[in-house]
Amino acid sequence: MCGIVGYIGREDAIDVLIKGLEKLEYRGYDSAGVSFIDEGKIRIEKTKGRINDLKNKVNGHDYKSKIGLGHTRWATHGKPSNENSHPHCDCSGKISLVHNGIIENYKELREKLLKNGHVFNSETDTEVIGHLVEEYFEGDLLEAIKKAGKELKGSFALAVMEEQNPDKIICHRKDSPLVIGIGKDENIIASDIPAILAHTKDVLILDDGDIAVVSKSEVIIFDENGHKVDKDVLKIEWDVKEAEKGGYEHFMLKEIHEQPQVLKDTLRGRLNEQENLVELDELSLTTEEIASFDKIYMVACGTAYHAGLVGKTIFESLVKCPVEVDIASEYRYREPLITKNTLVIVISQSGETADTLAALRQSKKWGAKVIAITNVVGSTVSREADEVLYTWAGPEIAVASTKAYLTQLLALAMLGIYFARTIKSAPQKRLEELSSYLVKMPELLERVYDQEEPLKEIANEIAKWDSTFFIGRALDWAVAEEGALKLKEISYIQAEAYAAGELKHGTLALIVEGIPVITLVTQPHVYEKTISNLQEVKARGAKCFALAFEDDEKIYQEADIVMTIPRVDPLLTPILSVVPLQLISYYAAVARGSDVDKPRNLAKSVTVE
Ligand code: AGP
């Protein structure tokens, strides 16, 4: 998730672009750049770092331009660097573009273009687009972009300009957001509304496949079939702060609602839908290496550690290899039994968490192979691990991790399926079944949001209490741990998660009349056992909330209030079952008036021990 801006009009384009990028910095902030036409020439200023660094780079130049493109980056392909930052160009430097999205077939296109003599200056997937447009360019930029667009697989929001045609910018979108702000003698293109509000409240939203030719006084739009189309101009009522949150009250709620999209993005280019199987080309592990692992450690902190708890069951079930899940701050000071046949999977959204990093370094010293699952390209964990599997959740602004956790669960499921497929440790049919479920997850997740209102009521009830219990068995217990942490860290309610079968060994003493107990009941092989644990707390007066499958009729006789998820394979239920718990935590925190995005005493990335 990056932020792109394009401007053509009467104002100083560089100033407008940089102000627009500042409003999109929540979309990515590891490098930034602008390109503009000055004295008939395309000029580019770009740098690794924040937009402030770009400002310092541009200031002091006496550029004069009324047309330009801008970009703030969240690296996916190619680490944050000056070369990899946008805008990118074709070989001649006369065609410049900015891009948000992921080009899945960039490797094949790059090979073909290299054979045709093109010279590449970056490691990015984006740069292939500039050279592809160049391949088709015979003076008509629109035609060249149309043809290039047909060859691109993946997601893209593009803005392109060409030196000989300084009176227009052409933009094109598929699976990435793109809006056009309609001004007076000026028009501004952007990934999102915050970037245009300083200029206008009149917006055109492009649809998938649309191509727009934007000049300072006109916007002409063609749909994916090349037909000219008219779009309704929407009037935006939001202020900039609201717009940055996409109209949501907090980044956390916005990020909870971004989960179907980030699941799609994290699956992108990793699922061979014809064969219904996961393909992780980015890993260079050989079949022999994967087969040689006789012990796996999953090491992380906080929410990422909870993802590991789910990963353990997936890997033991599919890869048939013993897995130990460890809290990094404990693991690094223990002497785990590591050999050269040990695999350590470290999980970290930020890729900078001190304890996880130390655990990584220690594991390598002890001779283990290390795979990192992380959300930040170029982070220290990604640079020091032997292999990296990136989650494409985009920047996660709220301290409480939601969408990053969900993409970690997906990454662990993909890695488990990929390993099992490689060493044939599970039946092909089972792996295809699980892979086809992964494709459906984004759409199935949409159904969970339909319950947002009743979940808000549950949250308001829980918000009246200073303690709450989450119970479950097997993978439900792992998700209960995450549910409890979410509630604790943003609503400050003392929430505990327990293996449901463990309650009668002590904790049951804490159950008093009316206390909220959330029971997760999505694991068929321990369904009856979990129901009897629910009955145990109910008998002691607890207010019983249950999370079960939509088609589960029995649960309504047992629990006071039921929340549901669509029925999916038991190994994959955590990807759905955690979302109602995220929403309950969010609304309970709102009901208790806490600073949801920046809860007390916490930091987004804990870089100290
Ligand atoms: C989760 O909501 C918290 N922000 C925290 O527990 C977090 O998961 C933990 O600090 C690990 O962070 P990481 O994934 O960036 O390594």
Side-chain angles (χ1 to χ4, degrees):
M1 181 150 80
C2 304
I4 74 171
V5 183
Y7 177 76
I8 181 158
R10 47 193 161 76
E11 291 192 35
D12 166 7
I14 300 164
D15 181 52
V16 172
L17 294 169
I18 288 184
K19 287 202 172 79
L21 291 177
E22 283 169 334
K23 294 284 175 289
L24 294 180
E25 206 163 19
Y26 64 90
R27 298 179 61 87
Y29 38 76
D30 60 42
S31 47
V34 288
S35 63
F36 46 92
I37 298 178
D38 172 47
E39 292 168 350
K41 285 251 164 294
I42 283 190
R43 304 197 188 291
I44 294 189
E45 292 286 358
K46 59 182 183 175
T47 179
K48 182 172 181 258
R50 307 293 292 253
I51 292 164
N52 247 359
D53 304 307
L54 174 65
K55 270 166 106 171
N56 299 340
K57 207 159 187 290
V58 170
N59 289 349
H61 288 280
D62 183 24
Y63 295 131
K64 296 229 172 337
S65 179
K66 302 290 183 214
I67 177 172
L69 307 173
H71 187 275
T72 180
R73 187 170 189 233
W74 180 261
T76 58
H77 295 78
K79 64 185 180 306
S81 69
N82 293 346
E83 298 71 33
N84 290 337
S85 50
H86 298 211
H88 289 286
C89 275
D90 67 330
C91 295
S92 71
K94 297 185 184 321
I95 294 172
S96 175
L97 77 146
V98 288
H99 164 234
N100 168 37
I102 294 174
I103 304 300
E104 291 169 29
N105 59 341
Y106 82 101
K107 282 195 181 135
E108 300 93 274
L109 292 171
R110 191 181 172 107
E111 286 316 307
K112 186 182 87 175
L113 291 160
L114 281 169
K115 282 207 191 77
N116 297 0
H118 290 264
V119 179
F120 283 76
N121 303 309
S122 78
E123 305 156 309
T124 65
D125 55 333
T126 298
E127 194 185 349
V128 295
I129 308 170
H131 295 284
L132 202 56
V133 171
E134 179 183 13
E135 276 284 293
Y136 291 111
F137 186 63
E138 290 153 358
D140 183 336
L141 189 60
L142 177 60
E143 275 318 301
I145 292 172
K146 274 187 189 161
K147 290 187 183 133
K150 291 207 169 31
E151 284 201 48
L152 299 175
K153 284 211 191 81
S155 65
F156 51 84
L158 291 176
V160 188
M161 68 181 184
E162 192 267 323
E163 195 168 276
Q164 306 307 318
N165 293 282
D167 59 345
K168 65 172 170 274
I169 295 173
I170 298 185
C171 51
H172 187 15
R173 75 149 286 180
K174 179 179 157 297
D175 267 353
S176 270
L178 205 53
V179 299
I180 303 175
I182 309 297
K184 199 167 163 330
D185 278 339
E186 63 175 4
N187 288 315
I188 180 162
I189 297 154
S191 296
D192 203 348
I193 288 162
I196 61 151
L197 286 179
H199 295 268
T200 176
K201 298 248 180 201
D202 296 331
V203 172
L204 287 172
I205 311 281
L206 290 192
D207 293 314
D208 270 355
D210 284 355
I211 295 186
V213 181
V214 183
S215 65
K216 81 174 193 168
S217 53
E218 188 185 29
V219 176
I220 304 167
I221 301 175
F222 301 91
D223 66 13
E224 62 194 329
N225 306 316
H227 301 130
K228 209 167 163 196
V229 288
D230 290 326
K231 294 225 177 239
D232 302 337
V233 175
L234 300 181
K235 179 71 83 190
I236 304 295
E237 299 310 334
W238 293 333
D239 64 30
V240 172
K241 273 270 158 271
E242 282 173 300
E244 278 174 2
K245 295 182 187 128
Y248 292 98
E249 200 189 337
H250 294 97
F251 276 109
M252 183 180 176
L253 189 61
K254 178 181 179 235
E255 289 160 3
I256 289 174
H257 282 270
E258 281 175 352
Q259 295 184 114
Q261 183 58 43
V262 298
L263 287 180
K264 263 193 219 140
D265 291 344
T266 301
L267 275 169
R268 206 176 287 287
R270 292 161 161 174
L271 213 93
N272 175 324
E273 294 190 27
Q274 279 72 41
E275 293 175 50
N276 239 342
L277 277 174
V278 173
E279 276 169 4
L280 299 178
D281 303 344
E282 62 252 71
L283 299 180
S284 60
L285 287 167
T286 62
T287 303
E288 294 65 39
E289 280 175 309
I290 295 173
S292 73
F293 297 134
D294 58 13
K295 179 74 187 259
I296 297 175
Y297 286 88
M298 295 185 180
V299 185
C301 303
T303 286
Y305 163 76
H306 293 152
L309 293 175
V310 173
K312 171 184 171 69
T313 301
I314 292 174
F315 270 67
E316 289 184 343
S317 163
L318 299 179
V319 186
K320 308 280 184 262
C321 183
V323 176
E324 235 179 276
V325 189
D326 259 299
I327 293 168
S329 53
E330 287 298 318
Y331 170 93
R332 62 182 291 189
Y333 293 115
R334 239 189 44 242
E335 288 169 30
L337 307 173
I338 302 265
T339 71
K340 63 177 177 37
N341 297 327
T342 306
L343 170 67
V344 174
I345 300 177
V346 295
I347 309 165
S348 174
Q349 185 285 126
S350 61
E352 302 298 348
T353 300
D355 285 318
T356 307
L357 193 51
L360 180 162
R361 291 174 176 156
Q362 207 57 37
S363 304
K364 291 185 78 170
K365 250 198 238 121
W366 287 326
K369 188 76 150 177
V370 178
I371 296 180
I373 294 179
T374 185
N375 193 45
V376 181
V377 174
S379 58
T380 313
V381 160
S382 72
R383 278 184 277 117
E384 298 194 12
D386 300 304
E387 303 270 350
V388 187
L389 184 59
Y390 286 113
T391 56
W392 302 136
E396 191 172 60
I397 311 292
V399 167
S401 180
T402 52
K403 62 177 182 172
Y405 169 75
L406 219 68
T407 58
Q408 287 161 0
L409 297 183
L410 180 61
L412 285 160
M414 290 195 292
L415 193 60
I417 293 168
Y418 177 70
F419 271 27
R421 177 190 166 199
T422 308
I423 63 174
K424 301 190 174 29
S425 56
Q428 185 82 358
K429 199 161 164 334
R430 174 105 180 88
L431 300 177
E432 288 169 4
E433 217 177 69
L434 287 167
S435 300
S436 59
Y437 262 122
L438 292 183
V439 178
K440 296 196 209 100
M441 278 298 176
E443 162 216 327
L444 291 170
L445 188 47
E446 291 293 355
R447 280 176 21 207
V448 175
Y449 300 117
D450 301 344
Q451 295 168 78
E452 196 149 349
E453 281 316 310
L455 291 170
K456 204 187 275 186
E457 279 154 37
I458 294 172
N460 293 338
E461 197 160 332
I462 286 174
K464 299 185 193 113
W465 285 77
D466 288 335
S467 58
T468 293
F469 290 91
F470 293 75
I471 63 172
R473 285 175 177 255
L475 282 174
D476 284 336
W477 173 30
V479 175
E481 289 285 354
E482 177 54 13
L485 177 63
K486 283 282 105 40
L487 190 63
K488 269 186 278 200
E489 68 177 314
I490 59 172
S491 74
Y492 316 141
I493 293 171
Q494 174 73 29
E496 292 310 327
Y498 283 92
E502 189 56 13
L503 280 182
K504 52 187 169 296
H505 302 289
T507 310
L508 205 54
L510 295 177
I511 303 300
V512 295
E513 189 61 34
I515 195 162
V517 176
I518 296 179
T519 307
L520 289 84
V521 205
T522 74
Q523 300 295 303
H525 68 297
V526 285
Y527 181 87
E528 294 307 333
K529 301 294 178 203
T530 312
I531 292 290
S532 64
N533 298 130
L534 188 158
Q535 292 161 342
E536 270 169 20
V537 291
K538 190 164 179 136
R540 273 82 181 174
K543 177 75 185 261
C544 291
F545 303 91
L547 190 155
F549 288 134
E550 286 165 348
D551 57 5
D552 179 343
E553 274 134 30
K554 181 164 184 254
I555 193 70
Y556 290 89
Q557 292 138 34
E558 305 293 343
D560 301 305
I561 296 180
V562 177
M563 48 195 124
T564 62
I565 58 169
R567 183 176 290 276
V568 291
D569 188 284
L571 270 186
L572 301 177
T573 58
I575 296 178
L576 299 179
S577 62
V578 73
V579 178
L581 306 186
Q582 294 169 341
L583 287 164
I584 286 173
S585 307
Y586 171 78
Y587 285 113
V590 170
R592 289 165 71 105
S594 60
D595 181 348
V596 172
D597 284 340
K598 293 192 174 57
R600 68 188 184 205
N601 309 340
L602 299 180
K604 182 64 191 168
S605 179
V606 184
T607 53
V608 292
E609 221 192 307

